[in-house]
Amino acid sequence: MGENSEALLSILRLQPVVPVLIVEDAATAVPLARALVAGGLKAIEITLRTPAALDAIRAVASEVEGAVAGAGTILSAAQFDEAVEAGARFIVSPGATGDLLDIADESDVPFLPGASTASEVMGLREEGYEVLKFFPAEQAGGAPFLKALSSPLAGTLFCPTGGISLANARDYLSLPNVVCVGGSWVAPKALVEAGDWGEITRLAAEAAALRG
Ligand code: 3PG
């Protein structure tokens, strides 16, 4: 197994669920990440969808003991660089482009590119990727789709994300080619805005207890 895959797996295997965060206010990132870590979710994906995202990654990376801050929704090489500069320890994209694969090749920070068809998975296998994001999971065929890939595309592991919740996470986690799932359900917007960190820790603990 290649270095990128080994490094990714050591992060993704920390827990069954990677929280996917859209941080509107960087000031909430530290207490939010602390609440998730307290519940047992250490690897946290902060998406670059808001102006606060890079500050949020920086704050979580430097201030939250036990957290492994990652960056999501990386669409360009420039964003890849900015996220690494901010302290991201893993980089996630909904897809893959030549530019992203090139910059990932030059980086020590592991890259989790997205795929949602057999051909996309095959293309990334040719590039040496053994661990992929399956996105958007529910909309692209869900757990039955991944199950169908497990024999012909054996050897590729997935972190499905998109439309996953406590109700269907086990459908994915029980598959041999799923290492973890990603989802935003552990950090609902209303709880973050209310600063209800206790309830977020409870949701995180419930997610951390999920097993195949
Ligand atoms: C996303 O891109 O927002 C992630 O895949 C999370 O999706 P979710 O909000 O459906 O969990």
Side-chain angles (χ1 to χ4, degrees), residues 140-204:
F145 179 92
L146 275 189
K147 187 175 183 190
L149 291 190
S150 65
S151 174
L153 298 176
T156 300
L157 296 172
F158 294 91
C159 174
T161 305
I164 302 181
S165 67
L166 198 63
N168 58 4
R170 275 200 177 84
D171 298 344
Y172 292 92
L173 292 167
S174 63
L175 299 176
N177 55 349
V178 168
V179 57
C180 63
V181 301
S184 60
W185 87 88
V186 290
K189 195 173 179 199
L191 292 183
V192 174
E193 282 175 1
D196 192 346
W197 312 125
E199 180 60 9
I200 287 176
T201 293
R202 193 192 67 73
L203 290 175

Side-chain angles (χ1 to χ4, degrees), residues 49 55 61 65 101 133 149 196:
R49 297 187 209 171
D55 283 342
E65 199 177 330
L101 296 175
K133 169 168 168 146
L149 291 190
D196 192 346

